[in-house]
Amino acid sequence: MRRFLNQPLMIGEEIILQDEDYNYIARVLRSRENDPITLFNGEGGEYHGNIIEITKRHLTVKLKKYNPINRTGSIKIHLLQSLAKGEKMELVLQKSTELGVTSITPLATERSVMHLKKDQTEKRLERWNNIITSACEQCELNIPPTLQDPISIEAWINEVLPTLNTTIITLAPTAKHSLGSFLKSVKFPESKNEEGLHNDALSHSFTIIIGPEGGLTQEEIEMLQNAGAQSVSLGSRILRTETAALSVISTIQGLIGDWSTETEELLED
């Protein structure tokens, strides 16, 4: 059993869990005293302990061991997902977290079906962050992807892109190259890890820009291309926005990321 806590953790500490955490552990899972539990706070690693007391309103966990293991993706993947309604947006947040993205930015586009008002943003971001941390609990990711504030394409290009060193990928049905062929042609900047081993793919960053159901407008595509984005195709079929996002992430992980033979060979060296 794993739970995320947004607070400092330390070996030997006794942590009191209440409210939602208590209800889930004690009432839904029907955990008992002495049962093992793992806590993490998003700062890296995880703490292993046991439940030492369960009362009618709270339970107490004693932290006994720290494990520095992290399960972040082998390459950095930043997802800019056009705002989608309800379950679609939540599905992308949940599954992209499981697939190992580094950060997620809700993107306001001309054809976005969903538009957040200023008074709705804080509450919606809180819900989305809860979905991300729940996904981390399930997939054993210790450092949740960062959820950025919603932003427009133009503002992202002008304000955020200059701070990044990344390969930008966007989707266009008329693109000359498929996603797979483009990824195979990427030339990674040469770098070395602490042991002096080359790890070009492991140090690289990709930014994926996914449009809304109606797709990005031609003006938005040209704006991104002028900023250095590479337009690629996912084939002849038109995918829903949530399907497109997860397909691109999975393809990157399969060809050059967590699931690739290149990464496996680097990690074995």
Side-chain angles (χ1 to χ4, degrees):
M1 176 197 337
R2 302 179 77 251
R3 296 298 285 178
F4 171 82
L5 289 185
N6 187 21
Q7 66 182 66
L9 299 174
M10 184 182 303
I11 295 174
E13 188 177 11
E14 293 185 3
I15 304 293
I16 295 177
L17 301 180
Q18 306 177 80
D19 304 325
E20 183 180 345
D21 290 322
Y22 169 77
N23 288 331
Y24 181 74
I25 296 170
R27 296 177 179 174
V28 177
L29 297 182
R30 298 183 180 276
S31 297
R32 297 290 182 261
E33 291 180 0
N34 296 319
D35 282 355
I37 185 171
T38 299
L39 302 180
F40 66 104
N41 60 6
E43 296 180 2
E46 57 192 23
Y47 292 80
H48 301 279
N50 294 87
I51 298 172
I52 60 173
E53 181 186 39
I54 299 178
T55 71
K56 292 184 178 181
R57 294 188 178 181
H58 72 268
L59 61 86
T60 305
V61 175
K62 176 85 170 184
L63 300 181
K64 299 181 178 180
K65 180 182 178 182
Y66 173 72
N67 184 351
I69 187 172
N70 285 314
R71 304 177 180 90
T72 52
S74 57
I75 57 177
K76 295 179 180 179
I77 302 176
H78 307 285
L79 173 64
L80 272 66
Q81 171 64 49
S82 180
L83 287 163
K85 278 192 174 180
E87 293 182 356
K88 292 182 179 181
M89 193 71 184
E90 294 179 1
L91 176 69
V92 171
L93 293 166
Q94 181 188 64
K95 300 307 178 186
S96 63
T97 297
E98 293 178 27
L99 290 170
V101 299
T102 306
S103 69
I104 305 169
T105 302
L107 195 63
T109 62
E110 188 173 330
R111 294 174 179 163
S112 293
V113 178
M114 177 185 184
H115 297 278
L116 286 178
K117 297 179 181 178
K118 288 185 178 181
D119 59 346
Q120 298 175 320
T121 301
E122 184 176 349
K123 186 175 182 180
R124 192 59 60 94
L125 288 174
E126 181 180 357
R127 175 172 174 79
W128 289 345
N129 265 314
N130 288 337
I131 291 170
I132 289 172
T133 53
S134 293
C136 290
E137 292 172 346
Q138 184 276 322
C139 73
E140 300 191 356
L141 182 65
N142 294 333
I143 302 178
T146 304
L147 179 62
Q148 307 289 354
D149 290 338
I151 194 171
S152 68
I153 289 179
E154 185 176 5
W156 181 81
I157 290 174
N158 293 331
E159 300 170 14
V160 180
L161 181 57
T163 69
L164 303 178
N165 180 16
T166 185
T167 296
I168 310 170
I169 299 174
T170 188
L171 303 179
T174 58
K176 295 180 180 179
H177 302 290
S178 69
L179 173 61
S181 65
F182 169 70
L183 290 175
K184 290 178 181 179
S185 71
V186 172
K187 303 298 181 183
F188 297 108
E190 190 171 291
S191 61
K192 293 184 179 181
N193 59 20
E194 293 179 356
E195 288 75 30
L197 300 173
H198 290 277
N199 59 344
D200 305 345
L202 302 187
S203 65
H204 200 64
S205 164
F206 286 89
T207 296
I208 306 166
I209 299 176
I210 302 295
E213 289 289 1
L216 297 172
T217 65
Q218 187 59 37
E219 182 180 358
E220 288 170 330
I221 293 174
E222 290 176 359
M223 192 186 306
L224 289 168
Q225 289 175 337
N226 291 335
Q230 174 67 45
S231 293
V232 298
S233 167
L234 292 182
S236 59
R237 294 179 298 280
I238 303 299
L239 304 182
R240 291 184 179 275
T241 185
E242 69 274 23
T243 310
L246 303 179
S247 297
V248 175
I249 298 167
S250 298
T251 302
I252 293 176
Q253 295 287 33
L255 291 180
I256 58 175
D258 289 353
W259 312 329
S260 69
T261 55
E262 288 83 356
T263 298
E264 184 177 339
E265 291 169 357
L266 282 169
L267 295 176
E268 287 178 350
D269 287 340

